[in-house]
Amino acid sequence: MGRRFDANRTPRGPGRKSRKQRGAETEIPHQLLATDENAAPRKSSRSRKRAVKRQIKTSTVQEPKKKIRAIGLSDGSASRLTPKPPAVEEEEEEEEEREEDDDDDEEEEEGEEDGGTRELAEALESSDEEEEEEDELLPIERAALKKKKKEMSEEGRMEVGAGDGEMEINAEETERFCLPSQREIEEEIARPPDPQALYRRVRATVSVLGDFSRLRERGRDRGEYLELLRGDLASYYTYSPFLIGCLMDLFPLAELIDFLEANEVQRPLTIRTNTLKTRRRDLAQALINRGVNLDPLGKWSKVGLVIYDSSVPIGATPEYLAGHYMLQGAASLLPVMALAPQENERVLDMSCAPGGKTSYCAQLMKNTGLIVANDVSVDRLRSVVGNLHRLGVTNTVVSNGDGRDFPKV
């Protein structure tokens, strides 16, 4: 509780604390600003303590020394109790001062060494800060950070390994490549194929054919190298020798290897949005809500989506059954984009199954004009009819016949 207010009470002046602090507002600033240019440098704490000890010794009156008799004590105790002469005391004080001065010098040297190790300390502090930041992260964020570091380290090791592999391949290519004999080829056919050996031989054969006049084996013609390359490519990529021969006639050898390697990559799953019933943005949001990981197909397509993974079957979602999209490869979109059908035009699709290009044409034509969808197989036409009904296409006529007979119709 506070003091009761008395209106008739007159103040008696400043209180006790105010009287103590009177004049501090003018004296303290003067003391802070006062500087003495000739003032002695600031002493260390040990120097001040030694000065105080000397002052006390000089100010105290020296009392007459009394001889202490050690009665009933051993010689060691008696020596400890007997006072020491002044000279011994002064020597001990000087030794203490020297030790303290040495300690001060060591502190100064340590300060200089600290300046040399400052960079190391800063590096350690930065690493500690990074560890503290990692501690502040959520568990899922720490796990993601560890995974990222692990992937980076694995990528570094893979790059080193790839560099070593390239060096080995280059070293092998620099050596003169010799064609295997007929007996060696028969032995290779008898035993299981070695993919790495086949790949190395394919690379060596392609390099020889690239500079045949300089790298060829003496007494060997170009046809022998091409025949060996055809067989190795058929064995390594599991193609028929006839198809490999056709591709060798179609592509240069360097481009042929790139083409075959590209065919080994798994094709991504793509879908085409049916703009007759929905928009790509709405379809993407609906599929994302169902646990589908997807991205737009590319800037060149306004209706394509790439599916990376899905927790539900893409061909059995409610959106698929409602006709909001069609499972269709990205390459099959290009012919329709090149044709670019316009509204109220007439289009003939002579091989329409399963109906992807036909429905895309109807989508671009906005269900106007006429589309004749023909296929020679009756069984395949069933899927065409089902897809056209599901996608809401109404401007298409489905026919079953030979496309060569259409000029007579």
Side-chain angles (χ1 to χ4, degrees):
M1 297 189 57
R3 185 187 299 171
R4 182 177 295 178
F5 177 72
D6 188 2
N8 298 324
R9 179 176 175 276
T10 58
R12 293 181 295 177
R16 177 170 55 85
K17 292 183 179 179
S18 298
R19 287 195 297 273
K20 284 185 176 181
Q21 296 176 358
R22 185 177 298 169
E25 64 275 4
T26 59
E27 293 179 2
I28 292 176
H30 289 299
Q31 294 177 1
L32 293 176
L33 294 175
T35 57
D36 188 3
E37 297 180 354
N38 298 324
R42 180 179 176 84
K43 298 181 179 180
S44 62
S45 60
R46 293 179 179 176
S47 300
R48 291 196 296 272
K49 290 178 181 178
R50 290 197 297 269
V52 171
K53 288 180 181 179
R54 294 192 191 98
Q55 186 177 1
I56 292 172
K57 289 180 181 180
T58 55
S59 60
T60 54
V61 180
Q62 295 182 356
E63 296 180 356
K65 297 179 182 179
K66 297 180 179 179
K67 188 174 182 180
I68 300 174
R69 292 190 305 172
I71 301 173
L73 298 176
S74 63
D75 296 339
S77 301
S79 63
R80 285 196 302 270
L81 292 175
T82 54
K84 297 179 181 180
V88 176
E89 291 181 357
E90 291 178 359
E91 290 178 358
E92 291 180 354
E93 290 178 359
E94 290 178 358
E95 288 180 0
E96 290 178 359
E97 291 179 0
R98 283 196 297 272
E99 291 176 357
E100 291 173 356
D101 293 338
D102 294 339
D103 294 338
D104 295 338
D105 295 338
E106 290 177 359
E107 289 178 358
E108 292 177 359
E109 292 176 358
E110 289 177 358
E112 293 177 357
E113 293 177 357
D114 291 341
T117 58
R118 189 174 302 164
E119 296 179 357
L120 179 60
E122 291 177 356
L124 294 174
E125 289 178 0
S126 62
S127 62
D128 293 340
E129 291 177 358
E130 291 178 358
E131 292 178 357
E132 291 177 359
E133 291 177 358
E134 291 182 2
D135 295 338
E136 294 176 358
L137 295 176
L138 296 174
I140 188 172
E141 292 176 339
R142 286 199 296 270
L145 185 60
K146 290 181 180 178
K147 184 178 179 181
K148 185 176 180 181
K149 291 180 178 178
K150 184 178 179 181
E151 290 177 353
M152 291 175 66
S153 62
E154 289 179 355
E155 288 177 359
R157 288 196 296 269
M158 290 176 64
E159 289 178 357
V160 173
D164 296 339
E166 290 178 359
M167 291 175 64
E168 291 177 359
I169 291 173
N170 293 333
E172 291 176 358
E173 288 180 354
T174 55
E175 298 178 358
R176 185 58 63 95
F177 171 69
C178 297
L179 286 175
S181 62
Q182 187 65 28
R183 182 179 179 181
E184 292 175 352
I185 294 175
E186 292 176 356
E187 291 178 356
E188 287 182 2
I189 295 173
R191 63 173 180 264
D194 185 3
Q196 294 182 356
L198 285 174
Y199 183 75
R200 287 195 297 267
R201 194 162 66 187
V202 165
R203 300 284 296 186
T205 307
V206 171
S207 63
V208 170
L209 291 172
D211 192 0
F212 187 73
S213 60
R214 187 174 63 86
L215 299 177
R216 72 185 183 91
E217 186 180 354
R218 189 181 299 274
R220 300 282 189 167
D221 59 356
R222 191 179 186 89
E224 294 179 353
Y225 284 91
L226 291 175
E227 186 65 26
L228 177 65
L229 180 62
R230 184 183 294 107
D232 290 345
L233 290 177
S235 301
Y236 184 76
Y237 293 103
T238 63
Y239 284 82
S240 66
F242 172 76
L243 181 58
I244 289 293
C246 295
L247 294 175
M248 290 175 67
D249 296 336
L250 184 63
F251 294 100
L253 294 179
E255 295 182 8
L256 175 62
I257 302 300
D258 296 337
F259 174 77
L260 295 174
E261 288 291 338
N263 290 341
E264 297 298 314
V265 179
Q266 183 65 30
R267 187 181 67 178
L269 176 63
T270 57
I271 62 175
R272 174 180 57 83
T273 307
N274 182 20
T275 56
L276 296 175
K277 291 190 174 183
T278 186
R279 296 181 299 178
R280 184 171 70 169
R281 181 177 58 187
D282 299 337
L283 174 63
Q285 187 60 48
L287 293 177
I288 289 171
N289 293 337
R290 296 190 183 278
V292 180
N293 184 13
L294 52 84
D295 272 333
L297 179 58
K299 295 182 179 179
W300 57 273
S301 176
K302 297 181 180 179
V303 294
L305 291 171
V306 182
I307 307 297
Y308 296 112
D309 56 73
S310 173
S311 59
V312 295
I314 296 298
T317 60
E319 288 78 15
Y320 177 82
L321 299 176
H324 290 182
Y325 63 90
M326 174 79 176
L327 293 173
Q328 189 171 359
S332 65
L333 302 178
L334 299 177
V336 181
M337 296 175 65
L339 180 63
Q342 304 299 319
E343 298 180 18
N344 300 317
E345 289 185 347
R346 291 185 296 176
V347 178
L348 171 61
D349 190 353
M350 297 181 66
S351 181
C352 62
K357 299 180 184 67
T358 302
S359 58
Y360 193 14
C361 289
Q363 175 180 317
L364 295 178
M365 296 168 64
K366 298 180 181 178
N367 264 339
T368 62
L370 176 63
I371 299 176
V372 179
N374 178 74
D375 201 276
V376 71
S377 174
V378 178
D379 297 333
R380 289 169 61 86
L381 281 176
R382 294 192 181 95
S383 62
V384 175
V385 174
N387 285 327
L388 294 179
H389 281 296
R390 182 176 58 86
L391 297 171
V393 177
T394 58
N395 65 340
T396 302
V397 176
V398 180
S399 64
N400 172 235
D402 191 347
R404 294 172 293 183
D405 298 336
F406 269 91
K408 302 177 184 178
V409 176

